[in-house]
Amino acid sequence: MANHLGLRAALISLLIFLLFLAGWHFATLPPTTTSAATVAPQTQQDEDYAKLMGKSKESESKVTGFPNPAQMGLAMRKHLSDPFYDNGPNDKGIGIQLGYSLARVGLGFSIAALVAIPLGFVLGMSPLMQRALNPFIQILKPISPLAWMPLALYTIKDSSISGVFVIFICSIWPMLLNTSFGVAAVRREWINVARTLEVSALRKALLVILPAAAPTILTGMRISMGIAWLVIVAAEMLVGGTGIGYFVWNEWNNLSLTSVMFAILLIGVVGMLLDLIFARLQQFVSYVD
Amino acid sequence: MSLSIFKPYDPEHNNSRSCCCGRHSNAQEHLADELRQQELASLNRVRDPETLNQDVIEEALMRALFPDDHVRRDFLRAVGVNTARAAIASVLPMASLQAMAQEKKGSIEKKDLKVGFIAITCAAPLIMADPLGFYKKQGLNVSLHKTAGWALIRDKMVNKEFDASHFLSPMPLAMSMGLGTNPTQMRIATIQNINGQAITLHVKHKDKRDPRQWKGFKLAIPFEYSMHNFLLRYYLAEHGLDPDKDVQLRVTPPPEMVANLRAGNIDGFLGPDPFNQRAVYDEVGFIHILSKEIWDGHPCCAFGMSDDFVKQNPNTFAALYRAVLNAAAMAHDSAHRSLVAKVIAPVAYLNQPETVVEQVLTGRYADGLGNIKNVPNRADFDPLPWYSMGVWILSQMKRWGYIKGEVDYKTITEKIFLLTDAKKYMKELGQTSPESGYKKFKIMGKEFDANSADTYVNSFTIKR
């Protein structure tokens, strides 16, 4: 029965996708008007002008208006056929760009986890600290990554570390809040048992609280990873240099919507894969009472 | 094809760049390209960089002094080459400029350099020096970094992430004075380009060619401290519009200008190329006027570095200076413009269709109104950083309230524009330092004299 449902769902997904492609194709068909623009140029002057505008026969490659699915497919093939080329600092393959972004996200996220999880434990175990730090967390939490960027550039004086810092500062809050919530919500009985057995504080944290709070902590990490992946594109568009965000910006420079859309698709796919990894981890640590 | 570039004292040599394009028809495109490649190879082989430096400086001077070809030729015929040379040397510290350009004492202190640039044609000399090997020839390993905007260039220069950079010529002045950042002493080594900008309007404004009809327009400029801002303000004010009240000026990075124009967020922009031409190519805008119609020969972008860098790495600086001068010399010659377009158009640099870049550099372009225009000096490359240009920039900063109070125009400029060093070198050589690196020029018909900058500022009716 479940299998049957899955199959039907997949079929409907495919149908929606095909409808979407067809809609896209028809929406981007060139207008079939017989206006002056499409009439063949009459004089040498007109022909020269058309050539300068990229509209002569030799310059078919010019893409104006919204790209159609075929052009998008071509762009995808072009980028994916050679994803790891490296032509100096301003021209690298999509694979290398993605690698840079993932490395930055990984680094910023790891540092954030290293800070947020221990700190979250402290907050969760001490209601006093929780109350004392709460105002700061509430103020810092909603600040947009782009607002941090000028400040980071000014103080850190290095654009790629600034990028990592921005990921750090934006992905730390969900982990911190979820960890402290998870730790605070560990059942009283379990803590009391630990206390009667006179377990040391460290053993209590690692053997009782951590496993109990793990699913909540991982939820926090999953949310944070989503945010980090959102932030990296914005940060790299601003700072430039390398990464998928830079790729988007550079293609915007060229006003190439096809490549921008390809990058958007790729960002979505990679974001989904990252989320899947954390979903798996979450399953791994959850338990049923 | 002869190697005709830069013969400043050859009376027969026509340096007005009048022979532009049209040489190669479509069928022969390939052949012409091959020829150009060969020419370039022979240029690199035959021309000694020192001579080229010497010539580019003298060439720039000759052209500045005698913009009219006939006058210049007559002058040279009348007085002879040597007299001309002496006469000009009395005006500008040519010998010391050349000496500085050639100095090869000691080894290069820093070989690997990071140089920032914005992907616009103004950066052509700086960019082409990379693929054409001008940096390598000077023993430098330069990596060029495409940067997302001027504010970031400023920050990366202040942070010392870049060793040298493409600048808007007002930027080093503003940065040195601490406007919009904390003060960091910057230097302008060369002006990258002159002219090469335009006012582009949305196609729906085809009938509004008189700026007086622009009340309420939203116009984009690339940066506050840019020639674009000052030229646009000047142009608007000359037509009776107050740029702060009657229109809205928006700081927008050049690549976003076309996208915003298409979306109708802005009515037009005074921006760098190739984005003016790109707006035409994408059929969203037309070129209202070229910036050279406001001030023919205005400086635009510059090549500079921090004062610290120059002091700590004098030999590296000299090598970098030579490389960029060589590139400017080549870019200046109209015969090479198509080749320049070809090498700077790829993804790693401008990332633009080659035909768009070529139209900008050769000056044979579609204007978006159905006409083909032929303006060979639409964009030009002239590296000499005249003091008077710096003073004009400061006068406009004063005029629009970017700087307040007494302004010591000349002292500030001479500290930042590198002609100062030339004077110092002259003194060391035991020569009397020349009066100045000041020349007069006209902006929309009004003459600017650097000696009376304050009077100039006060002569405008619209000012802050």
Side-chain angles (χ1 to χ4, degrees), chain B residues 264-277:
Chain B
N265 279 342
I266 53 173
D267 297 285
F269 57 84
L270 198 163
D273 268 311
F275 293 101
N276 298 298
Q277 199 58 50

Side-chain angles (χ1 to χ4, degrees), chain B residues 195-197 290-298 375 377-379:
Chain B
N195 300 337
Q197 325 301 313
L290 297 175
S291 61
K292 79 179 269 286
E293 292 166 51
I294 302 174
W295 171 2
D296 193 3
H298 75 77
V375 188
N377 61 345
R378 169 178 176 175

Side-chain angles (χ1 to χ4, degrees), chain B residues 413-428:
Chain B
T413 309
E414 289 176 20
K415 218 168 167 181
I416 295 158
F417 278 48
L418 209 81
L419 274 176
T420 325
D421 276 34
K423 276 179 144 185
K424 195 183 75 192
Y425 276 78
M426 283 214 86
K427 277 205 178 101
E428 282 172 10

Side-chain angles (χ1 to χ4, degrees), chain A residues 8-271:
Chain A
R8 280 195 300 171
L11 270 175
I12 293 177
S13 293
L14 189 70
L15 196 67
I16 293 174
F17 179 67
L18 289 177
L19 273 175
F20 166 74
L21 275 187
W24 182 10
H25 176 75
F26 285 114
T28 51
L29 278 180
T32 50
T33 51
T34 48
S35 68
T38 53
V39 171
Q42 304 291 319
T43 63
Q44 181 63 37
Q45 170 84 5
D46 289 347
E47 210 170 293
D48 281 356
Y49 192 81
K51 194 175 159 223
L52 290 177
M53 297 294 283
K55 288 204 283 200
S56 68
K57 287 180 196 76
E58 303 104 84
S59 45
E60 269 329 321
S61 60
K62 181 183 173 188
V63 178
T64 44
F66 203 82
N68 60 35
Q71 287 162 341
M72 175 82 177
L74 278 178
M76 281 173 78
R77 210 177 67 188
K78 191 187 103 203
H79 289 297
L80 291 176
S81 62
D82 187 11
F84 296 106
Y85 74 88
D86 188 348
N87 294 341
N90 305 311
D91 186 12
K92 294 183 201 300
I94 190 80
I96 296 186
Q97 304 285 28
L98 264 182
Y100 272 105
S101 297
L102 283 170
R104 277 190 195 124
V105 163
L107 190 61
F109 180 81
S110 310
I111 301 172
L114 284 180
V115 174
I117 294 173
L119 195 64
F121 261 80
V122 173
L123 296 190
M125 289 162 83
S126 153
L128 175 72
M129 288 308 285
Q130 169 110 36
R131 284 198 178 195
L133 288 183
N134 198 36
F136 299 105
I137 297 174
Q138 295 307 331
I139 288 174
L140 292 172
K141 197 176 57 161
I143 296 172
S144 147
L146 297 190
W148 285 110
M149 196 46 110
L151 199 66
L153 273 176
Y154 185 89
T155 44
I156 300 174
K157 300 199 184 303
D158 182 297
S159 51
S160 55
I161 301 179
S162 299
V164 173
F165 166 78
V166 168
I167 290 168
F168 163 79
I169 200 76
C170 291
S171 57
I172 193 170
W173 311 116
M175 278 194 269
L176 186 63
L177 287 175
N178 269 21
T179 308
S180 81
F181 171 76
V183 169
V186 174
R187 287 207 201 152
R188 286 292 106 193
E189 306 96 85
W190 296 350
I191 306 229
N192 288 338
V193 170
R195 192 176 292 151
T196 41
L197 291 174
E198 293 186 6
V199 176
S200 72
L202 188 69
R203 279 181 68 112
K204 186 173 82 177
L206 289 180
L207 294 178
V208 181
I209 300 179
L210 185 63
T216 336
I217 295 175
L218 265 165
T219 310
M221 290 175 86
R222 193 174 165 184
I223 299 171
S224 280
M225 183 47 91
I227 290 178
W229 190 243
L230 280 181
V231 167
I232 192 66
V233 175
E236 284 170 347
M237 278 184 85
L238 208 64
V239 178
T242 43
I244 186 78
Y246 169 78
F247 178 86
V248 172
W249 177 82
N250 194 25
E251 291 303 328
W252 189 12
N253 229 325
N254 187 22
L255 302 165
S256 164
L257 278 187
T258 1
S259 297
V260 170
M261 280 161 56
F262 165 69
I264 289 175
L265 184 68
L266 209 60
I267 292 166
V269 170
V270 173

Side-chain angles (χ1 to χ4, degrees), chain A residues 211-216 218-219 278-289:
Chain A
T216 336
L218 265 165
T219 310
F278 278 91
R280 277 288 151 81
L281 281 175
Q282 223 175 351
Q283 271 176 9
F284 181 69
V285 297
S286 2
Y287 53 90
V288 186
D289 274 319

Side-chain angles (χ1 to χ4, degrees), chain B residues 391-416:
Chain B
V391 174
W392 186 83
I393 292 168
L394 289 174
S395 80
Q396 297 304 299
M397 287 191 188
K398 167 90 175 160
R399 176 184 183 185
W400 300 114
Y402 291 98
I403 40 179
K404 305 243 162 24
E406 284 284 299
V407 183
D408 197 347
Y409 300 98
K410 286 186 170 180
T411 317
I412 298 175
T413 309
E414 289 176 20
K415 218 168 167 181
I416 295 158

